[in-house]
Amino acid sequence: MDKAAATEQAAAASRAPEAQAEAMARGSSPSTARKLAENIERIEALGQRLMSALSGRSMPNPGIEAPGPELMMTAANAWLKTLSEQPALVLENQVTYWGETLKNYANAQMALARGQVTAPQDDSPADKRFANPLWQSHPYFNFVKRQYLINAKALKDAAQNLQLPDDTARRRINWLTSQIVDMMAPTNFLATNPDALERAIETEGESLVRGLENLVRDVELNGGDIVVSLADRDAFSVGENVGTSEGVVVHRTPLYELIQYKPATDQVHQMPLLIFPPWINKFYILDLKPQNSLIKWLVEQGHTLFVVSWKNPDASYADVGLEDYVSAYVDAMDKVRDLTDQRKLNVVGYCIGGTTLSLTLALLKQREDDRVNSATLFTTLTDFSDQGEFVSFLQDDFVNGIADEVNRYGMLRARLMSRTMSFLRPNDLVWGPAIRSYMMGETPPAFDLLFWNGDSTNLPGKMTMQYLRGLCQQNAFVEGGFELLGHKLHISDVTVPLCAITCETDHIAPWKDSWRGVARMGSTDKTFILSESGHIAGIVNPPSKKKYGHYMGSRDFSKDHQAWKESSSFTEGSWWPRWGEWLAERAGPMVPARDPGQGLAPAPGTYVHERAA
């Protein structure tokens, strides 16, 4: 929903009750009339709040708000080329579309003429958006659904038949087509959504008023932008019912806090363990609740555990770059070694935290520094030769738009990052939640994972552009070397013993791309584990759940990812115990547990509470 649509909704909402109040009140009970009058007042107040909130939206950035001229020109040229060289194909597609549309209309007309109250036989594929039985049984809704599916197929076929210059252009056109198809689903509109209409009737319109309240709340929370809330923000409090593992902050810098967790065993492994989570989100994804906390589990396995909690940067961090994050990695390692009186340690990097850990390992190799005994990478990309689902966001037109955003604000704002990621799965993360919140009037669910997902962070401007230009677009870490801190870092410089954990349905860090990066690393001791499920659920996968299994194969990386999987063996249940065994073999003998003392503050620290504006 854009600003114009939201403005129109607010204006219409404020006009309609006044025009209809008298007519609706006639014949109504006193209680119904009172309720109607109260709702009118609520809608008027909400409409004013909505207009005020929308007016506070910052100046739009065309580079990130819509497809750029380059993509539009590519599509137009491809259409003209296809039309001139294969006119029969274009005409065939159009005739097929006309025929299917007329057939659908004729079937609906025949049913109406016969006075039928049921829809014609429907063999369309299952789609959870159309779960309401009325989509199958009611002539009107069935006609609307069928026509939407016909339109969607016509659009996708037309896009598929375009003669495009390369695979990147095809991926971008297909992505844009899918976005249009998903946006135009009849479920996204009140008049063609039976669930929302039924709820409005059942609640005498109360659901629509609550939906407007939810819309106003989201617009106010996001500075005039419409970003649907995925979870109830009031249901969780970090440090109280999520992120509750016992520990203390033992070190603090302007960029990070270092947390040491309280031991759960009398004896611990001699070698400490340090986790670097991504700074795109907050670290407590690894400590949501005791039942699925990887942090708690690792402490129970006898590890002296340290976790970095990154600062949520503001505009004053505009000049912080990847060199500062890599230096922070080295600094955190130094502090852990000092606190435990150990020369070596084991390290873990998650997502971009793993990408930066790989850069750090390459730097340490070139410095002839052997402090890292082993490294584990969770859902980590290091080879960006295939940009996957991010291809639309990694072309110059969009990246230039992000550069403009960074120049304006000094950072990549959290809400833009969240919105971009959400449109990789728009039905699940945009349209579905918007329907439930704005049309059904439902309160966002009290779901800890979605609460964490909404607790995003800003990204420093310099770091953002280094990552997008140098790592993602140029693939410098793999191709010619990534220049940092006076060194040209290369993926082959990563030579420490490695264990990589990837997830089978991960759309952010596809496992095949993660595998390719690990295959290019210089280590001769590499273990690769493929978990079922996605980027988060595949990692937050405790043994007690017995939900997702995992694949583990040979250490032969000479072929491709598919050959590795075909030669691997599948095991039911979590990968945590398998990795735990691997880690224990590299963590040294047992020694008396280390008490972290009082520290600077109790875990989860102070930085984790800073929310992006």
Side-chain angles (χ1 to χ4, degrees), residues 354-528:
T355 305
T356 311
L357 176 58
S358 300
L359 294 173
T360 307
L361 294 173
L363 176 68
L364 293 174
K365 172 69 174 180
Q366 292 192 16
R367 289 179 173 176
E368 298 183 348
D369 187 330
D370 66 348
R371 67 179 64 195
V372 174
N373 188 60
S374 76
T376 300
L377 304 175
F378 292 168
T379 63
T380 293
L381 293 179
T382 48
D383 182 349
F384 294 87
S385 55
D386 185 344
Q387 296 171 349
E389 294 191 41
F390 284 93
V391 69
S392 295
F393 302 120
L394 292 176
Q395 305 312 304
D396 280 338
D397 51 359
F398 192 81
V399 174
N400 290 340
I402 292 179
D404 292 339
E405 182 86 0
V406 162
N407 289 334
R408 183 187 302 179
Y409 296 103
M411 58 186 177
L412 180 59
R413 293 176 298 166
R415 72 172 67 108
L416 175 59
M417 185 70 183
S418 297
R419 188 177 67 185
T420 301
M421 301 295 282
S422 292
F423 276 99
L424 292 175
R425 290 292 182 271
N427 287 326
D428 294 330
L429 298 177
V430 180
W431 306 119
I435 290 167
R436 292 189 292 273
S437 186
Y438 305 153
M439 283 201 280
M440 306 288 287
E442 297 178 1
T443 300
F447 185 14
D448 54 0
L449 179 57
L450 291 179
F451 171 82
W452 165 85
N453 187 70
D455 190 10
S456 1
T457 59
N458 303 314
L459 302 182
K462 182 180 179 181
M463 185 285 303
T464 299
M465 299 316 299
Q466 286 175 307
Y467 179 77
L468 292 176
R469 299 285 195 203
L471 291 176
C472 297
Q473 285 191 313
Q474 299 169 15
N475 200 24
F477 191 41
V478 169
E479 299 298 337
F482 188 77
E483 294 189 6
L484 206 67
L485 295 170
H487 293 261
K488 184 169 282 191
L489 308 177
H490 196 274
I491 196 169
S492 61
D493 293 324
V494 180
T495 58
V496 302
L498 287 172
C499 183
I501 318 297
T502 59
C503 301
E504 194 171 18
T505 59
D506 192 337
H507 64 285
I508 295 174
W511 79 269
K512 64 182 181 63
D513 300 323
S514 181
W515 187 95
R516 190 173 60 251
V518 172
R520 288 176 174 268
M521 292 178 178
S523 173
T524 57
D525 179 4
K526 292 185 282 196
T527 298
F528 195 85

Side-chain angles (χ1 to χ4, degrees), residues 22 47 52 56 74 97 113 137 218 232 299 309 311 345 353 414 463 584:
E22 184 178 350
S52 175
T74 298
Y97 171 67
S137 62
D218 286 345
D232 185 353
V299 171
S309 173
K311 174 77 173 177
L345 75 168
M463 185 285 303

Side-chain angles (χ1 to χ4, degrees), residues 219-273:
V219 175
E220 289 177 338
L221 283 173
N222 292 285
D225 285 325
I226 302 175
V227 181
V228 61
S229 294
L230 299 180
D232 185 353
R233 290 178 61 150
D234 298 325
F236 299 96
S237 178
V238 181
E240 294 183 11
N241 55 1
V242 291
T244 59
S245 290
E246 289 187 76
V248 297
V249 176
V250 292
H251 182 55
R252 181 182 293 128
T253 76
L255 197 55
Y256 73 93
E257 289 181 329
L258 182 66
I259 300 171
Q260 180 178 352
Y261 285 90
K262 184 177 179 180
T265 55
D266 293 334
Q267 297 282 308
V268 295
H269 289 281
Q270 184 180 49
M271 209 166 292
L273 178 63

